[in-house]
Short mmCIF file of all heavy atoms in Angstrom, two decimals:
data_model
loop_
_atom_site.label_atom_id
_atom_site.label_comp_id
_atom_site.label_asym_id
_atom_site.label_seq_id
_atom_site.Cartn_x
_atom_site.Cartn_y
_atom_site.Cartn_z
N TYR A 1 -10.33 10.50 -10.46
CA TYR A 1 -8.91 10.31 -10.19
C TYR A 1 -8.06 10.85 -11.34
O TYR A 1 -8.44 10.74 -12.50
CB TYR A 1 -8.58 8.83 -10.03
CG TYR A 1 -9.15 8.18 -8.82
CD1 TYR A 1 -10.09 7.17 -8.92
CD2 TYR A 1 -8.73 8.55 -7.55
CE1 TYR A 1 -10.60 6.54 -7.81
CE2 TYR A 1 -9.22 7.92 -6.43
CZ TYR A 1 -10.16 6.92 -6.56
OH TYR A 1 -10.64 6.30 -5.45
N THR A 2 -6.90 11.34 -10.96
CA THR A 2 -5.91 11.68 -11.98
C THR A 2 -5.20 10.38 -12.37
O THR A 2 -5.29 9.38 -11.67
CB THR A 2 -4.87 12.68 -11.44
OG1 THR A 2 -4.08 12.04 -10.43
CG2 THR A 2 -5.53 13.93 -10.88
N PRO A 3 -4.48 10.39 -13.51
CA PRO A 3 -3.74 9.17 -13.87
C PRO A 3 -2.76 8.72 -12.77
O PRO A 3 -2.64 7.53 -12.51
CB PRO A 3 -3.00 9.59 -15.15
CG PRO A 3 -3.88 10.64 -15.75
CD PRO A 3 -4.44 11.39 -14.58
N LEU A 4 -2.10 9.66 -12.12
CA LEU A 4 -1.16 9.30 -11.05
C LEU A 4 -1.89 8.67 -9.87
O LEU A 4 -1.44 7.67 -9.32
CB LEU A 4 -0.37 10.52 -10.59
CG LEU A 4 0.63 10.28 -9.47
CD1 LEU A 4 1.67 9.24 -9.87
CD2 LEU A 4 1.30 11.58 -9.07
N GLU A 5 -3.03 9.25 -9.49
CA GLU A 5 -3.81 8.68 -8.38
C GLU A 5 -4.28 7.26 -8.73
O GLU A 5 -4.31 6.38 -7.87
CB GLU A 5 -5.00 9.57 -8.05
CG GLU A 5 -4.63 10.86 -7.38
CD GLU A 5 -5.82 11.79 -7.22
OE1 GLU A 5 -6.74 11.76 -8.06
OE2 GLU A 5 -5.81 12.56 -6.25
N HIS A 6 -4.65 7.06 -9.99
CA HIS A 6 -5.09 5.73 -10.42
C HIS A 6 -3.95 4.72 -10.29
O HIS A 6 -4.15 3.60 -9.79
CB HIS A 6 -5.60 5.79 -11.86
CG HIS A 6 -6.07 4.48 -12.37
ND1 HIS A 6 -7.20 3.86 -11.89
CD2 HIS A 6 -5.56 3.65 -13.31
CE1 HIS A 6 -7.36 2.70 -12.51
NE2 HIS A 6 -6.38 2.56 -13.38
N ILE A 7 -2.76 5.10 -10.73
CA ILE A 7 -1.60 4.21 -10.63
C ILE A 7 -1.28 3.90 -9.17
O ILE A 7 -1.03 2.75 -8.81
CB ILE A 7 -0.38 4.82 -11.35
CG1 ILE A 7 -0.62 4.81 -12.85
CG2 ILE A 7 0.90 4.06 -11.00
CD1 ILE A 7 0.39 5.60 -13.64
N ILE A 8 -1.32 4.93 -8.32
CA ILE A 8 -1.05 4.72 -6.89
C ILE A 8 -2.10 3.78 -6.29
O ILE A 8 -1.77 2.88 -5.51
CB ILE A 8 -0.98 6.06 -6.14
CG1 ILE A 8 0.29 6.80 -6.57
CG2 ILE A 8 -1.02 5.85 -4.63
CD1 ILE A 8 0.37 8.23 -6.05
N ASN A 9 -3.37 3.96 -6.67
CA ASN A 9 -4.42 3.08 -6.16
C ASN A 9 -4.20 1.64 -6.60
O ASN A 9 -4.41 0.71 -5.82
CB ASN A 9 -5.80 3.56 -6.60
CG ASN A 9 -6.30 4.70 -5.76
OD1 ASN A 9 -5.92 4.85 -4.61
ND2 ASN A 9 -7.15 5.52 -6.34
N LEU A 10 -3.77 1.44 -7.84
CA LEU A 10 -3.46 0.08 -8.31
C LEU A 10 -2.32 -0.52 -7.50
O LEU A 10 -2.37 -1.69 -7.12
CB LEU A 10 -3.11 0.10 -9.80
CG LEU A 10 -4.25 0.38 -10.76
CD1 LEU A 10 -3.72 0.50 -12.19
CD2 LEU A 10 -5.32 -0.70 -10.67
N ARG A 11 -1.31 0.29 -7.22
CA ARG A 11 -0.17 -0.19 -6.43
C ARG A 11 -0.60 -0.54 -5.01
O ARG A 11 -0.15 -1.54 -4.45
CB ARG A 11 0.93 0.86 -6.39
CG ARG A 11 1.65 1.01 -7.70
CD ARG A 11 2.66 2.11 -7.63
NE ARG A 11 3.41 2.19 -8.88
CZ ARG A 11 4.33 3.10 -9.12
NH1 ARG A 11 4.63 4.01 -8.20
NH2 ARG A 11 4.96 3.11 -10.27
N ILE A 12 -1.46 0.28 -4.43
CA ILE A 12 -1.96 0.02 -3.08
C ILE A 12 -2.76 -1.28 -3.05
O ILE A 12 -2.59 -2.11 -2.15
CB ILE A 12 -2.81 1.19 -2.56
CG1 ILE A 12 -1.92 2.39 -2.30
CG2 ILE A 12 -3.58 0.80 -1.30
CD1 ILE A 12 -2.68 3.67 -2.04
N GLN A 13 -3.63 -1.47 -4.04
CA GLN A 13 -4.42 -2.70 -4.09
C GLN A 13 -3.51 -3.93 -4.21
O GLN A 13 -3.76 -4.95 -3.57
CB GLN A 13 -5.42 -2.65 -5.26
CG GLN A 13 -6.49 -1.63 -5.09
CD GLN A 13 -7.28 -1.83 -3.80
OE1 GLN A 13 -7.67 -2.94 -3.45
NE2 GLN A 13 -7.53 -0.74 -3.09
N HIS A 14 -2.46 -3.81 -5.01
CA HIS A 14 -1.51 -4.92 -5.14
C HIS A 14 -0.80 -5.17 -3.81
O HIS A 14 -0.62 -6.32 -3.40
CB HIS A 14 -0.50 -4.62 -6.25
CG HIS A 14 0.43 -5.74 -6.53
ND1 HIS A 14 0.01 -6.95 -7.05
CD2 HIS A 14 1.76 -5.86 -6.34
CE1 HIS A 14 1.04 -7.75 -7.18
NE2 HIS A 14 2.12 -7.12 -6.75
N ALA A 15 -0.41 -4.10 -3.13
CA ALA A 15 0.26 -4.23 -1.83
C ALA A 15 -0.68 -4.90 -0.82
O ALA A 15 -0.26 -5.78 -0.07
CB ALA A 15 0.72 -2.87 -1.32
N LEU A 16 -1.94 -4.50 -0.80
CA LEU A 16 -2.91 -5.10 0.12
C LEU A 16 -3.07 -6.59 -0.17
O LEU A 16 -3.18 -7.40 0.75
CB LEU A 16 -4.25 -4.38 0.03
CG LEU A 16 -4.28 -2.97 0.58
CD1 LEU A 16 -5.63 -2.31 0.26
CD2 LEU A 16 -4.01 -2.95 2.07
N LYS A 17 -3.07 -6.94 -1.45
CA LYS A 17 -3.17 -8.35 -1.82
C LYS A 17 -1.96 -9.12 -1.30
O LYS A 17 -2.09 -10.21 -0.73
CB LYS A 17 -3.27 -8.48 -3.34
CG LYS A 17 -3.36 -9.89 -3.84
CD LYS A 17 -3.42 -9.91 -5.35
CE LYS A 17 -3.28 -11.33 -5.86
NZ LYS A 17 -3.13 -11.36 -7.31
N LEU A 18 -0.77 -8.55 -1.48
CA LEU A 18 0.44 -9.21 -1.01
C LEU A 18 0.48 -9.29 0.51
O LEU A 18 0.94 -10.29 1.08
CB LEU A 18 1.68 -8.50 -1.54
CG LEU A 18 1.92 -8.60 -3.04
CD1 LEU A 18 3.12 -7.76 -3.45
CD2 LEU A 18 2.09 -10.04 -3.48
N ILE A 19 0.00 -8.25 1.18
CA ILE A 19 -0.03 -8.26 2.65
C ILE A 19 -0.97 -9.35 3.15
O ILE A 19 -0.67 -10.03 4.13
CB ILE A 19 -0.41 -6.87 3.19
CG1 ILE A 19 0.77 -5.92 2.99
CG2 ILE A 19 -0.80 -6.95 4.66
CD1 ILE A 19 0.45 -4.46 3.24
N SER A 20 -2.07 -9.55 2.45
CA SER A 20 -3.00 -10.61 2.88
C SER A 20 -2.38 -11.99 2.68
O SER A 20 -2.77 -12.94 3.35
CB SER A 20 -4.32 -10.51 2.11
OG SER A 20 -4.14 -10.89 0.76
N GLN A 21 -1.37 -12.09 1.80
CA GLN A 21 -0.67 -13.36 1.56
C GLN A 21 0.66 -13.38 2.30
O GLN A 21 1.52 -14.19 1.99
CB GLN A 21 -0.40 -13.54 0.07
CG GLN A 21 -1.63 -13.60 -0.78
CD GLN A 21 -1.30 -13.59 -2.25
OE1 GLN A 21 -0.17 -13.37 -2.66
NE2 GLN A 21 -2.31 -13.80 -3.07
N ARG A 22 0.84 -12.52 3.25
CA ARG A 22 2.13 -12.33 3.91
C ARG A 22 2.63 -13.59 4.64
O ARG A 22 3.81 -13.71 4.90
CB ARG A 22 2.05 -11.16 4.88
CG ARG A 22 3.41 -10.67 5.30
CD ARG A 22 3.30 -9.35 5.97
NE ARG A 22 4.62 -8.97 6.47
CZ ARG A 22 4.82 -8.04 7.33
NH1 ARG A 22 3.81 -7.35 7.79
NH2 ARG A 22 6.02 -7.75 7.74
N ASN A 23 1.73 -14.50 4.95
CA ASN A 23 2.17 -15.73 5.61
C ASN A 23 2.92 -16.65 4.66
O ASN A 23 3.53 -17.61 5.07
CB ASN A 23 0.98 -16.46 6.24
CG ASN A 23 -0.09 -16.81 5.23
OD1 ASN A 23 -0.07 -16.36 4.09
ND2 ASN A 23 -1.05 -17.60 5.65
N VAL A 24 2.89 -16.33 3.36
CA VAL A 24 3.67 -17.09 2.38
C VAL A 24 5.14 -16.74 2.57
O VAL A 24 5.50 -15.58 2.66
CB VAL A 24 3.21 -16.73 0.94
CG1 VAL A 24 4.07 -17.46 -0.08
CG2 VAL A 24 1.74 -17.05 0.75
N PRO A 25 6.01 -17.74 2.65
CA PRO A 25 7.44 -17.46 2.86
C PRO A 25 8.00 -16.52 1.78
O PRO A 25 7.66 -16.65 0.61
CB PRO A 25 8.10 -18.83 2.76
CG PRO A 25 7.01 -19.80 3.07
CD PRO A 25 5.74 -19.16 2.58
N GLY A 26 8.82 -15.59 2.21
CA GLY A 26 9.47 -14.69 1.27
C GLY A 26 8.78 -13.35 1.07
O GLY A 26 9.25 -12.53 0.29
N TYR A 27 7.67 -13.11 1.73
CA TYR A 27 6.96 -11.85 1.58
C TYR A 27 7.22 -10.95 2.78
O TYR A 27 6.39 -10.78 3.65
CB TYR A 27 5.46 -12.08 1.42
CG TYR A 27 5.06 -12.46 0.03
CD1 TYR A 27 5.09 -13.78 -0.38
CD2 TYR A 27 4.66 -11.50 -0.88
CE1 TYR A 27 4.74 -14.14 -1.67
CE2 TYR A 27 4.31 -11.86 -2.16
CZ TYR A 27 4.35 -13.17 -2.56
OH TYR A 27 4.01 -13.51 -3.82
N SER A 28 8.40 -10.37 2.83
CA SER A 28 8.69 -9.39 3.87
C SER A 28 8.02 -8.08 3.48
O SER A 28 7.63 -7.88 2.33
CB SER A 28 10.19 -9.18 4.01
OG SER A 28 10.70 -8.55 2.84
N LEU A 29 7.86 -7.18 4.42
CA LEU A 29 7.25 -5.89 4.12
C LEU A 29 8.07 -5.14 3.08
O LEU A 29 7.52 -4.50 2.18
CB LEU A 29 7.10 -5.06 5.40
CG LEU A 29 6.23 -3.82 5.29
CD1 LEU A 29 4.85 -4.18 4.77
CD2 LEU A 29 6.12 -3.14 6.62
N LYS A 30 9.39 -5.25 3.17
CA LYS A 30 10.26 -4.60 2.19
C LYS A 30 9.98 -5.14 0.79
O LYS A 30 9.88 -4.37 -0.17
CB LYS A 30 11.72 -4.83 2.56
CG LYS A 30 12.69 -4.17 1.62
CD LYS A 30 14.12 -4.41 2.06
CE LYS A 30 15.10 -3.76 1.10
NZ LYS A 30 16.49 -3.97 1.51
N GLU A 31 9.84 -6.44 0.67
CA GLU A 31 9.56 -7.02 -0.64
C GLU A 31 8.18 -6.62 -1.14
O GLU A 31 7.98 -6.39 -2.33
CB GLU A 31 9.68 -8.53 -0.59
CG GLU A 31 9.58 -9.16 -1.95
CD GLU A 31 9.90 -10.64 -1.96
OE1 GLU A 31 10.36 -11.17 -0.94
OE2 GLU A 31 9.69 -11.26 -3.01
N ILE A 32 7.23 -6.51 -0.23
CA ILE A 32 5.88 -6.12 -0.62
C ILE A 32 5.87 -4.71 -1.21
O ILE A 32 5.30 -4.48 -2.27
CB ILE A 32 4.91 -6.22 0.58
CG1 ILE A 32 4.65 -7.70 0.89
CG2 ILE A 32 3.60 -5.48 0.30
CD1 ILE A 32 3.89 -7.93 2.17
N PHE A 33 6.51 -3.75 -0.54
CA PHE A 33 6.47 -2.40 -1.10
C PHE A 33 7.27 -2.31 -2.39
O PHE A 33 6.90 -1.60 -3.31
CB PHE A 33 6.82 -1.31 -0.08
CG PHE A 33 8.27 -1.12 0.28
CD1 PHE A 33 9.16 -0.50 -0.60
CD2 PHE A 33 8.75 -1.51 1.52
CE1 PHE A 33 10.48 -0.30 -0.25
CE2 PHE A 33 10.06 -1.31 1.88
CZ PHE A 33 10.94 -0.70 0.98
N TYR A 34 8.34 -3.08 -2.50
CA TYR A 34 9.12 -3.08 -3.74
C TYR A 34 8.33 -3.71 -4.88
O TYR A 34 8.27 -3.17 -5.98
CB TYR A 34 10.44 -3.82 -3.51
CG TYR A 34 11.34 -3.79 -4.71
CD1 TYR A 34 12.04 -2.63 -5.05
CD2 TYR A 34 11.49 -4.90 -5.52
CE1 TYR A 34 12.86 -2.60 -6.17
CE2 TYR A 34 12.31 -4.88 -6.63
CZ TYR A 34 12.98 -3.72 -6.96
OH TYR A 34 13.78 -3.69 -8.06
N ARG A 35 7.69 -4.85 -4.63
CA ARG A 35 6.90 -5.53 -5.66
C ARG A 35 5.68 -4.72 -6.07
O ARG A 35 5.13 -4.93 -7.15
CB ARG A 35 6.44 -6.90 -5.16
CG ARG A 35 7.52 -7.94 -5.14
CD ARG A 35 6.96 -9.24 -4.60
NE ARG A 35 7.92 -10.31 -4.76
CZ ARG A 35 7.74 -11.34 -5.59
NH1 ARG A 35 6.65 -11.44 -6.28
NH2 ARG A 35 8.67 -12.25 -5.69
N SER A 36 5.25 -3.81 -5.20
CA SER A 36 4.09 -2.98 -5.50
C SER A 36 4.46 -1.70 -6.26
O SER A 36 3.59 -0.90 -6.56
CB SER A 36 3.37 -2.60 -4.21
OG SER A 36 2.96 -3.76 -3.53
N GLY A 37 5.73 -1.53 -6.51
CA GLY A 37 6.16 -0.37 -7.29
C GLY A 37 6.61 0.82 -6.47
O GLY A 37 6.85 1.89 -7.02
N PHE A 38 6.72 0.65 -5.17
CA PHE A 38 7.20 1.72 -4.30
C PHE A 38 8.67 1.45 -3.99
O PHE A 38 9.01 0.43 -3.44
CB PHE A 38 6.39 1.75 -2.99
CG PHE A 38 4.95 2.10 -3.18
CD1 PHE A 38 3.99 1.10 -3.27
CD2 PHE A 38 4.54 3.42 -3.28
CE1 PHE A 38 2.66 1.41 -3.44
CE2 PHE A 38 3.21 3.73 -3.45
CZ PHE A 38 2.27 2.73 -3.54
N LEU A 39 9.53 2.39 -4.36
CA LEU A 39 10.96 2.18 -4.15
C LEU A 39 11.44 2.74 -2.82
O LEU A 39 12.55 2.44 -2.40
CB LEU A 39 11.74 2.82 -5.31
CG LEU A 39 11.38 2.28 -6.69
CD1 LEU A 39 12.18 2.99 -7.76
CD2 LEU A 39 11.59 0.78 -6.76
N ASP A 40 10.63 3.53 -2.16
CA ASP A 40 10.99 4.17 -0.90
C ASP A 40 9.97 3.75 0.17
O ASP A 40 8.78 4.02 0.04
CB ASP A 40 10.99 5.69 -1.09
CG ASP A 40 11.34 6.47 0.15
OD1 ASP A 40 11.57 5.87 1.22
OD2 ASP A 40 11.38 7.71 0.05
N ARG A 41 10.45 3.10 1.22
CA ARG A 41 9.51 2.62 2.25
C ARG A 41 8.82 3.76 3.00
O ARG A 41 7.70 3.61 3.46
CB ARG A 41 10.19 1.66 3.21
CG ARG A 41 11.14 2.30 4.18
CD ARG A 41 11.76 1.21 5.07
NE ARG A 41 12.68 1.81 6.01
CZ ARG A 41 12.48 1.84 7.32
NH1 ARG A 41 11.42 1.26 7.83
NH2 ARG A 41 13.36 2.40 8.10
N TYR A 42 9.47 4.90 3.10
CA TYR A 42 8.86 6.04 3.78
C TYR A 42 7.70 6.60 2.96
O TYR A 42 6.66 6.94 3.49
CB TYR A 42 9.89 7.12 4.09
CG TYR A 42 10.98 6.63 5.00
CD1 TYR A 42 12.25 6.37 4.53
CD2 TYR A 42 10.71 6.37 6.34
CE1 TYR A 42 13.25 5.88 5.37
CE2 TYR A 42 11.69 5.87 7.19
CZ TYR A 42 12.96 5.64 6.70
OH TYR A 42 13.92 5.15 7.53
N TYR A 43 7.89 6.66 1.65
CA TYR A 43 6.80 7.10 0.77
C TYR A 43 5.66 6.09 0.80
O TYR A 43 4.49 6.46 0.90
CB TYR A 43 7.32 7.28 -0.66
CG TYR A 43 6.25 7.68 -1.64
CD1 TYR A 43 5.63 8.93 -1.53
CD2 TYR A 43 5.84 6.83 -2.65
CE1 TYR A 43 4.63 9.31 -2.40
CE2 TYR A 43 4.84 7.20 -3.54
CZ TYR A 43 4.24 8.44 -3.41
OH TYR A 43 3.25 8.81 -4.28
N PHE A 44 5.99 4.81 0.77
CA PHE A 44 4.99 3.75 0.87
C PHE A 44 4.18 3.91 2.15
O PHE A 44 2.95 3.86 2.12
CB PHE A 44 5.69 2.39 0.82
CG PHE A 44 4.77 1.21 1.03
CD1 PHE A 44 3.86 0.84 0.07
CD2 PHE A 44 4.85 0.45 2.19
CE1 PHE A 44 3.04 -0.26 0.24
CE2 PHE A 44 4.04 -0.65 2.38
CZ PHE A 44 3.13 -1.00 1.40
N SER A 45 4.86 4.15 3.25
CA SER A 45 4.20 4.31 4.54
C SER A 45 3.26 5.52 4.52
O SER A 45 2.12 5.43 4.98
CB SER A 45 5.24 4.47 5.64
OG SER A 45 4.63 4.69 6.88
N ARG A 46 3.72 6.63 3.96
CA ARG A 46 2.88 7.84 3.89
C ARG A 46 1.64 7.60 3.03
O ARG A 46 0.53 8.01 3.38
CB ARG A 46 3.67 9.02 3.34
CG ARG A 46 4.64 9.63 4.32
CD ARG A 46 5.14 10.99 3.88
NE ARG A 46 5.51 11.07 2.47
CZ ARG A 46 6.74 10.88 1.99
NH1 ARG A 46 7.73 10.57 2.79
NH2 ARG A 46 6.97 11.00 0.70
N VAL A 47 1.83 6.96 1.88
CA VAL A 47 0.71 6.70 0.98
C VAL A 47 -0.31 5.79 1.64
O VAL A 47 -1.51 6.03 1.57
CB VAL A 47 1.22 6.09 -0.36
CG1 VAL A 47 0.08 5.55 -1.20
CG2 VAL A 47 2.01 7.13 -1.14
N ILE A 48 0.16 4.73 2.30
CA ILE A 48 -0.75 3.80 2.97
C ILE A 48 -1.51 4.52 4.09
O ILE A 48 -2.72 4.38 4.22
CB ILE A 48 0.02 2.58 3.51
CG1 ILE A 48 0.56 1.73 2.36
CG2 ILE A 48 -0.85 1.75 4.44
CD1 ILE A 48 -0.50 1.09 1.48
N LYS A 49 -0.81 5.31 4.90
CA LYS A 49 -1.47 6.03 5.99
C LYS A 49 -2.49 7.01 5.45
O LYS A 49 -3.60 7.13 5.98
CB LYS A 49 -0.44 6.75 6.85
CG LYS A 49 0.37 5.81 7.72
CD LYS A 49 1.42 6.54 8.50
CE LYS A 49 2.27 5.57 9.29
NZ LYS A 49 3.35 6.23 10.02
N LYS A 50 -2.16 7.72 4.39
CA LYS A 50 -3.08 8.66 3.78
C LYS A 50 -4.33 7.94 3.28
O LYS A 50 -5.45 8.38 3.49
CB LYS A 50 -2.40 9.39 2.62
CG LYS A 50 -3.28 10.34 1.88
CD LYS A 50 -2.51 10.99 0.73
CE LYS A 50 -3.41 11.86 -0.11
NZ LYS A 50 -2.68 12.41 -1.27
N ASN A 51 -4.13 6.79 2.65
CA ASN A 51 -5.26 6.03 2.13
C ASN A 51 -6.05 5.35 3.23
O ASN A 51 -7.24 5.13 3.07
CB ASN A 51 -4.80 5.05 1.06
CG ASN A 51 -4.59 5.75 -0.25
OD1 ASN A 51 -5.53 6.00 -0.98
ND2 ASN A 51 -3.36 6.12 -0.54
N ASN A 52 -5.42 4.99 4.34
CA ASN A 52 -6.16 4.48 5.48
C ASN A 52 -7.18 5.50 5.96
O ASN A 52 -8.31 5.16 6.28
CB ASN A 52 -5.22 4.11 6.63
CG ASN A 52 -4.71 2.69 6.55
OD1 ASN A 52 -5.25 1.88 5.82
ND2 ASN A 52 -3.69 2.40 7.30
N ARG A 53 -6.78 6.76 6.00
CA ARG A 53 -7.71 7.83 6.40
C ARG A 53 -8.87 7.92 5.42
O ARG A 53 -10.02 8.07 5.82
CB ARG A 53 -6.99 9.16 6.52
CG ARG A 53 -6.10 9.27 7.74
CD ARG A 53 -5.64 10.70 7.98
NE ARG A 53 -4.81 11.22 6.91
CZ ARG A 53 -3.49 11.10 6.84
NH1 ARG A 53 -2.84 10.44 7.78
NH2 ARG A 53 -2.83 11.63 5.84
N LYS A 54 -8.59 7.79 4.13
CA LYS A 54 -9.67 7.83 3.12
C LYS A 54 -10.62 6.66 3.32
O LYS A 54 -11.83 6.81 3.25
CB LYS A 54 -9.08 7.78 1.71
CG LYS A 54 -8.44 9.06 1.27
CD LYS A 54 -7.95 8.90 -0.16
CE LYS A 54 -7.19 10.11 -0.62
NZ LYS A 54 -6.66 9.93 -1.99
N PHE A 55 -10.05 5.45 3.56
CA PHE A 55 -10.90 4.28 3.79
C PHE A 55 -11.79 4.49 5.00
O PHE A 55 -12.96 4.18 4.99
CB PHE A 55 -10.05 3.02 3.99
CG PHE A 55 -9.37 2.51 2.75
CD1 PHE A 55 -8.09 1.99 2.82
CD2 PHE A 55 -9.98 2.54 1.52
CE1 PHE A 55 -7.45 1.51 1.69
CE2 PHE A 55 -9.37 2.06 0.37
CZ PHE A 55 -8.09 1.55 0.47
N GLN A 56 -11.21 5.03 6.08
CA GLN A 56 -11.97 5.24 7.32
C GLN A 56 -13.07 6.29 7.10
O GLN A 56 -14.17 6.14 7.60
CB GLN A 56 -11.04 5.66 8.44
CG GLN A 56 -10.13 4.54 8.89
CD GLN A 56 -9.03 5.02 9.81
OE1 GLN A 56 -8.88 6.21 10.07
NE2 GLN A 56 -8.21 4.09 10.30
N GLN A 57 -12.78 7.35 6.35
CA GLN A 57 -13.78 8.38 6.09
C GLN A 57 -14.94 7.83 5.27
O GLN A 57 -16.07 8.23 5.44
CB GLN A 57 -13.15 9.56 5.37
CG GLN A 57 -12.23 10.39 6.24
CD GLN A 57 -11.45 11.45 5.45
OE1 GLN A 57 -11.50 11.48 4.23
NE2 GLN A 57 -10.73 12.28 6.17
N ARG A 58 -14.64 6.89 4.37
CA ARG A 58 -15.68 6.30 3.52
C ARG A 58 -16.37 5.13 4.20
O ARG A 58 -17.31 4.56 3.65
CB ARG A 58 -15.08 5.82 2.21
CG ARG A 58 -14.58 6.95 1.34
CD ARG A 58 -14.01 6.41 0.07
NE ARG A 58 -13.40 7.47 -0.70
CZ ARG A 58 -12.58 7.29 -1.70
NH1 ARG A 58 -12.25 6.06 -2.06
NH2 ARG A 58 -12.07 8.30 -2.35
N GLY A 59 -15.88 4.73 5.36
CA GLY A 59 -16.48 3.61 6.07
C GLY A 59 -16.06 2.27 5.52
O GLY A 59 -16.71 1.26 5.76
N VAL A 60 -14.99 2.24 4.75
CA VAL A 60 -14.51 0.99 4.17
C VAL A 60 -13.64 0.30 5.22
O VAL A 60 -12.77 0.89 5.81
CB VAL A 60 -13.67 1.27 2.90
CG1 VAL A 60 -13.11 -0.04 2.34
CG2 VAL A 60 -14.54 1.97 1.86
N ASN A 61 -13.92 -0.98 5.42
CA ASN A 61 -13.18 -1.74 6.44
C ASN A 61 -11.97 -2.41 5.78
O ASN A 61 -11.86 -3.62 5.72
CB ASN A 61 -14.11 -2.79 7.06
CG ASN A 61 -13.47 -3.44 8.25
OD1 ASN A 61 -12.50 -2.93 8.79
ND2 ASN A 61 -14.01 -4.57 8.66
N GLN A 62 -11.06 -1.59 5.28
CA GLN A 62 -9.86 -2.12 4.63
C GLN A 62 -8.71 -1.21 4.99
O GLN A 62 -8.39 -0.27 4.29
CB GLN A 62 -10.05 -2.17 3.11
CG GLN A 62 -8.91 -2.82 2.39
CD GLN A 62 -9.18 -2.88 0.90
OE1 GLN A 62 -10.04 -2.20 0.40
NE2 GLN A 62 -8.42 -3.68 0.21
N SER A 63 -8.08 -1.45 6.13
CA SER A 63 -6.96 -0.63 6.53
C SER A 63 -5.86 -1.53 7.05
O SER A 63 -6.10 -2.66 7.44
CB SER A 63 -7.38 0.36 7.61
OG SER A 63 -7.80 -0.31 8.76
N ILE A 64 -4.63 -1.02 6.98
CA ILE A 64 -3.48 -1.79 7.44
C ILE A 64 -2.61 -0.89 8.29
O ILE A 64 -2.71 0.33 8.24
CB ILE A 64 -2.67 -2.36 6.26
CG1 ILE A 64 -2.12 -1.24 5.39
CG2 ILE A 64 -3.48 -3.32 5.46
CD1 ILE A 64 -1.14 -1.70 4.35
N GLU A 65 -1.75 -1.50 9.08
CA GLU A 65 -0.79 -0.76 9.89
C GLU A 65 0.59 -0.97 9.34
O GLU A 65 0.97 -2.08 9.00
CB GLU A 65 -0.83 -1.24 11.34
CG GLU A 65 -1.92 -0.64 12.13
CD GLU A 65 -1.81 -1.03 13.60
OE1 GLU A 65 -0.68 -1.21 14.09
OE2 GLU A 65 -2.86 -1.17 14.21
N ILE A 66 1.36 0.11 9.28
CA ILE A 66 2.75 0.05 8.87
C ILE A 66 3.59 0.49 10.06
O ILE A 66 3.40 1.58 10.57
CB ILE A 66 3.04 0.97 7.67
CG1 ILE A 66 2.14 0.62 6.49
CG2 ILE A 66 4.50 0.92 7.29
CD1 ILE A 66 2.35 -0.75 5.92
N ASN A 67 4.47 -0.35 10.50
CA ASN A 67 5.34 -0.01 11.63
C ASN A 67 6.64 0.55 11.14
O ASN A 67 7.17 0.20 10.18
CB ASN A 67 5.60 -1.24 12.49
CG ASN A 67 4.33 -1.70 13.15
OD1 ASN A 67 3.47 -0.88 13.48
ND2 ASN A 67 4.20 -2.98 13.36
#
């Protein structure tokens, strides 16, 4: 990984953790992407979708949907 890819992966892992806790009051999707270091929801969506494809190619059962 490049340093940027490493940072993005850390942000994604944090977002996944927050999404798994989404039933906690106050964790809207907007707050999750903001707390994960993504300031643009469209960029967040693209990064998550791109990484979902990587997870699927590797056979990792860790994917999420962004509406």
Side-chain angles (χ1 to χ4, degrees):
Y1 292 115
T2 67
L4 179 59
E5 289 173 329
H6 180 68
I7 290 170
I8 290 171
N9 280 334
L10 290 174
R11 289 177 176 177
I12 290 169
Q13 293 303 315
H14 185 66
L16 291 172
K17 179 181 171 189
L18 292 176
I19 287 169
S20 71
Q21 299 172 351
R22 196 167 175 195
N23 58 350
V24 177
Y27 279 86
S28 67
L29 192 55
K30 181 179 179 180
E31 187 171 352
I32 288 171
F33 76 75
Y34 184 75
R35 285 179 171 248
S36 301
F38 296 96
L39 302 178
D40 180 358
R41 73 181 180 113
Y42 299 107
Y43 178 66
F44 175 70
S45 178
R46 284 195 316 267
V47 168
I48 293 295
K49 287 177 184 177
K50 177 181 175 184
N51 281 280
N52 271 345
R53 286 193 296 272
K54 286 182 185 178
F55 289 142
Q56 290 169 357
Q57 289 172 353
R58 294 180 186 165
V60 177
N61 189 16
Q62 186 178 16
S63 63
I64 61 171
E65 278 187 33
I66 303 296
N67 294 328

